[in-house]
Amino acid sequence: PAPPCSPFLANRPHTTPTMKNLLLALVAVAVSTTTAFLTPTQTAGRTISSSARDVILPTDFVSSTADAFHDGATSLLLSDEALSPAVEAARQKFWFYFFAGSGAGGIGIAQLPAIFRDASAARNAANTGSSLGGEALDTGPLLRVYYNNEISAKDVGNAIAKAPSSEYISSRSQSKNYMASKGYIERRDFIKEMEEKGCNPLANYVLYDAISAGKGDVVSPVVYDDKLAAYREGSLSDGSVAGSFVGDLNGFLAVKVGAFLGLVFCLLVDFGFIANAGIEGFLSQP
């Protein structure tokens, strides 16, 4: 026959120990053991003699330290049944934001090097090669923000005048890009041809950026030829750059700068949701 159990145990609901409960029990035992060894038997405190000086550990200090450790461990190891609905919902939101936000944030962060790589290539070309000098190209503040340099309007006009046709660039392309094999103009092929014509290096990047409108490193041959013809037609005999070129360049700059600022803003919002849910779920009182 089964041994009789006490009425107290018979009336208790059957519960299965969980990892949280086991950890809580271990922490409670450790705290109790620590308190038993550290709490002095004297009410005034314990005096530890030393050859240099006496150190007094008050009873209140030891007890408050043990209580603080016990409370902190208890709050971290509380079972789901002991949590308030608000805290439990906050923890669920935290894990959802953490995993979903980490994936989205990782994709966003991976795009930052591509933005900086394109800008760095153009910035490194500044102050290299020959320049015709003269007045700087006036397109607004975004040009200085993105290229970190001013560019001569005459250098841009010279690059527009000497730029080869899309057919010529495509016929001399050494790129293995699939789009380049179909006649599209790749940035590297364009820059290589412009360098052979002795144009200003920064002006070459600026011209290609205006033609591409920030849509990638390849440009349709039709778009390339049409825009180049419009730039040449709108240029004046005094070397002034066409208004259509200025408009296209500002469009490119707006896309790049706007993409960077928008990406940074979204990352901050993403991390803000994660941090807020974590504070409400794990650092607030249950």
Side-chain angles (χ1 to χ4, degrees):
C5 61
S6 67
F8 173 74
L9 294 177
N11 294 329
R12 290 188 61 186
H14 177 72
T15 57
T16 302
T18 62
M19 183 60 69
K20 285 186 178 180
N21 294 333
L22 293 176
L23 290 175
L24 178 58
L26 292 175
V27 172
V29 171
V31 172
S32 301
T33 306
T34 304
T35 305
F37 278 100
L38 293 182
T39 304
T41 56
Q42 302 178 8
T43 57
R46 171 180 295 176
T47 303
I48 302 176
S49 298
S50 175
S51 58
R53 58 182 179 179
D54 292 335
V55 180
I56 299 177
L57 299 178
T59 303
D60 294 342
F61 171 77
V62 177
S63 300
S64 61
T65 302
D67 292 341
F69 178 79
H70 180 271
D71 294 341
T74 302
S75 64
L76 288 176
L77 297 175
L78 276 175
S79 62
D80 294 339
E81 292 80 2
L83 295 176
S84 65
V87 174
E88 185 176 358
R91 291 190 178 185
Q92 292 176 356
K93 287 195 301 182
F94 169 78
W95 292 117
F96 172 78
Y97 289 147
F98 178 80
F99 288 109
S102 297
I107 295 175
I109 293 176
Q111 302 305 314
L112 291 176
I115 296 177
F116 288 118
R117 182 180 64 249
D118 294 341
S120 297
R123 291 182 176 188
N124 293 335
N127 300 321
T128 61
S130 60
S131 175
L132 298 177
E135 296 182 358
L137 182 66
D138 184 14
T139 60
L142 292 182
L143 185 144
R144 181 79 183 190
V145 171
Y146 185 78
Y147 296 108
N148 196 31
N149 211 307
E150 293 182 344
I151 181 170
S152 168
K154 291 183 178 180
D155 289 339
V156 175
N158 183 54
I160 292 175
K162 293 183 177 180
S165 65
S166 62
E167 183 179 1
Y168 180 83
I169 297 177
S170 179
S171 65
R172 291 168 53 88
S173 175
Q174 298 179 355
S175 175
K176 297 181 180 180
N177 188 300
Y178 172 78
M179 299 299 291
S181 66
K182 298 299 180 181
Y184 281 71
I185 308 304
E186 192 175 14
R187 181 191 300 270
R188 289 177 297 180
D189 293 333
F190 175 82
I191 297 299
K192 178 174 67 70
E193 297 298 335
M194 296 298 289
E195 288 176 349
E196 292 185 1
K197 293 183 176 298
C199 297
N200 180 265
L202 180 57
N204 299 336
Y205 281 97
V206 171
L207 176 57
Y208 188 88
D209 290 341
I211 296 175
S212 67
K215 297 179 181 179
D217 288 337
V218 292
V219 177
S220 165
V222 177
V223 173
Y224 175 88
D225 290 332
D226 289 347
K227 286 192 174 185
L228 197 58
Y231 299 160
R232 289 171 176 169
E233 183 178 354
S235 299
L236 302 178
S237 57
D238 60 355
S240 300
V241 179
S244 58
F245 169 83
V246 175
D248 289 343
L249 182 59
N250 277 328
F252 164 82
L253 296 174
V255 168
K256 288 296 185 178
V257 176
F260 173 76
L261 295 178
L263 181 58
V264 171
F265 175 77
C266 291
L267 290 175
L268 292 177
V269 172
D270 185 15
F271 295 145
F273 278 132
I274 297 175
N276 183 62
I279 292 173
E280 292 179 354
F282 296 95
L283 300 182
S284 61
Q285 293 295 328

